[in-house]
Amino acid sequence: MSKLDTLIDNKLVQNIFVWFILFIILIGGIQSENRIQTALYAILFLLPTIYITNYFVLPYFQKRKTIFFILFILSGTLFTLLPVYVISKAINQPLDVKMFLNLFGFILLAMIFGMTIRIARDSFKRRQEVKEAELKLLKGQLNPHFLFNTLNNLYGLSVVKSDKLPNLMLKLSDLLRYSLYETRESFVSLQKEMSYLENYISLEKLRLEEQADISFSISGILNDKKLAPMLLIVFVENAFKHLAPTEGEKSTVNIDIHIAENKLVFKCENSFDIHSDKGENLEKGKSGIGLVNVKKRLDLIYPEAHSLKIGKTNSVFSVDLKLSI
């Protein structure tokens, strides 16, 4: 988080900003030679009114609305009587009913204004907390899901005592290092994410060797671009997981990533056996956990900033993702 973001999120700064804006509005609305002084007095009077209402009256709104409304009216009456009484004493005149009613209406509006801001801020904070909790949960689901599939591959090679095993373990070590330590931030360098994909695909090439034709291409300028971590790997992993030959031919995986200005276009295709149950379950049940999660992450992180199309044509499963980065 940048220093500016930290400053914006600071409650004290937020409160000072709101009161400053209200002070400017009062200066513009007061018709008096001493309008700055009058606006300052109004702010000093409204400060305790709004904060006492927000912290001692507003909590009853969710708990007991009847008590809330009683306290709300009593508070408005009290905070109106005090200044009217002080003014009456200062000018040595009896209480002015018209002054009381005018000020009472103003006080009630000020209290409603303060509570509205508090409710809106608390609602936004809750939504942010829910969003962050869901993102952490989704990210936590992705890492073990990927690890489970990769360890299965390792086990298969160890059984046959393949000489590919040492190189594969080195690749796996790099992958795990990235997933454990580089993905703690909300966004990571696009260059690092692409390197992560390259390592994963290299690992799959070692595993599959002559069994599949695998192509992977990246074009465009990656510098200074950022992306949500482990977003594209889900589609790539899914392609290899459900890979199968077609009509006696070799299996195929084609992955193309193009970056143009602030747009990322990701395309992934893999062949699958249309007669296999896997072909029918690419987005269902356990096999679709990764895809379900990545859709949720896209909706949370890139709302209105992405387009995702997943489809099957004959024996080819395809993913087309367009993303604003």
Side-chain angles (χ1 to χ4, degrees), residues 195-233:
S195 297
Y196 176 72
L197 288 180
E198 284 182 304
N199 277 338
Y200 179 86
I201 293 168
S202 296
L203 183 150
E204 291 291 0
K205 283 182 177 179
L206 281 171
R207 182 177 67 88
L208 295 170
E209 201 169 22
E210 301 298 326
Q211 300 175 37
D213 288 328
I214 302 169
S215 68
F216 177 53
S217 62
I218 304 174
S219 59
I221 300 174
L222 279 65
N223 294 340
D224 302 323
K225 300 286 193 306
K226 289 186 178 292
L227 185 72
M230 297 190 75
L231 198 64
L232 304 180
I233 185 63

Side-chain angles (χ1 to χ4, degrees), residues 27-46:
I27 290 175
I30 293 172
Q31 301 298 320
S32 169
E33 292 181 359
N34 299 321
R35 55 184 181 177
I36 294 179
Q37 185 177 4
T38 305
L40 183 60
Y41 285 146
I43 291 293
L44 291 175
F45 172 70
L46 288 174

Side-chain angles (χ1 to χ4, degrees), residues 78-225:
L78 176 63
F79 289 125
T80 304
L81 277 174
L82 286 174
V84 171
Y85 176 80
V86 171
I87 293 171
S88 298
K89 284 292 184 182
I91 61 178
N92 198 25
Q93 289 185 2
L95 290 175
D96 189 332
V97 176
K98 185 177 180 181
M99 180 191 297
F100 172 83
L101 293 177
N102 288 336
L103 188 57
F104 182 72
F106 175 75
I107 291 297
L108 291 184
L109 286 174
M111 291 166 66
I112 292 171
F113 171 76
M115 288 190 295
T116 302
I117 292 178
R118 174 72 185 272
I119 291 171
R121 189 186 67 189
D122 289 349
S123 176
F124 175 78
K125 183 180 179 181
R126 282 195 299 271
R127 288 198 302 271
Q128 289 297 104
E129 288 173 349
V130 170
K131 180 177 176 179
E132 290 173 6
E134 188 168 6
L135 287 176
K136 288 178 181 178
L137 174 63
L138 293 174
K139 190 185 290 186
Q141 288 176 325
L142 288 174
N143 292 346
H145 182 63
F146 162 71
L147 181 59
F148 175 79
N149 291 338
T150 307
L151 288 175
N152 270 345
N153 297 337
L154 261 176
Y155 175 75
L157 290 175
S158 66
V159 168
V160 297
K161 298 181 180 179
S162 170
D163 55 2
K164 303 176 193 174
L165 192 57
N167 198 9
L168 187 146
M169 290 181 68
L170 184 60
K171 294 286 184 183
L172 179 60
S173 174
D174 290 338
L175 290 172
L176 292 179
R177 185 181 299 109
Y178 178 84
S179 64
L180 289 173
Y181 300 111
E182 300 290 338
T183 61
R184 293 179 178 178
E185 299 296 327
S186 299
F187 294 91
V188 296
S189 161
L190 185 58
Q191 183 69 56
K192 288 183 178 180
E193 188 72 7
M194 293 303 103
S195 297
Y196 176 72
L197 288 180
E198 284 182 304
N199 277 338
Y200 179 86
I201 293 168
S202 296
L203 183 150
E204 291 291 0
K205 283 182 177 179
L206 281 171
R207 182 177 67 88
L208 295 170
E209 201 169 22
E210 301 298 326
Q211 300 175 37
D213 288 328
I214 302 169
S215 68
F216 177 53
S217 62
I218 304 174
S219 59
I221 300 174
L222 279 65
N223 294 340
D224 302 323
K225 300 286 193 306

Side-chain angles (χ1 to χ4, degrees), residues 15 19 22 40-54 79:
N15 280 269
W19 285 108
L22 183 59
L40 183 60
Y41 285 146
I43 291 293
L44 291 175
F45 172 70
L46 288 174
L47 274 168
T49 303
I50 290 178
Y51 282 114
I52 289 173
T53 305
N54 281 352
F79 289 125

Side-chain angles (χ1 to χ4, degrees), residues 232 235 264-266 298 306-308 319-323:
L232 304 180
F235 300 114
L264 182 147
V265 179
F266 169 84
L298 283 168
H306 78 278
S307 169
L308 175 63
V319 175
D320 190 338
L321 173 65
K322 295 180 175 65
L323 199 63

Side-chain angles (χ1 to χ4, degrees), residues 23 59-60 69 80 112 132 153 179 245 253 267 270 312 314:
F23 179 65
Y60 285 98
F69 284 113
T80 304
I112 292 171
E132 290 173 6
N153 297 337
S179 64
V253 177
K267 294 184 179 180
N270 68 277
K312 291 181 288 184
N314 295 327

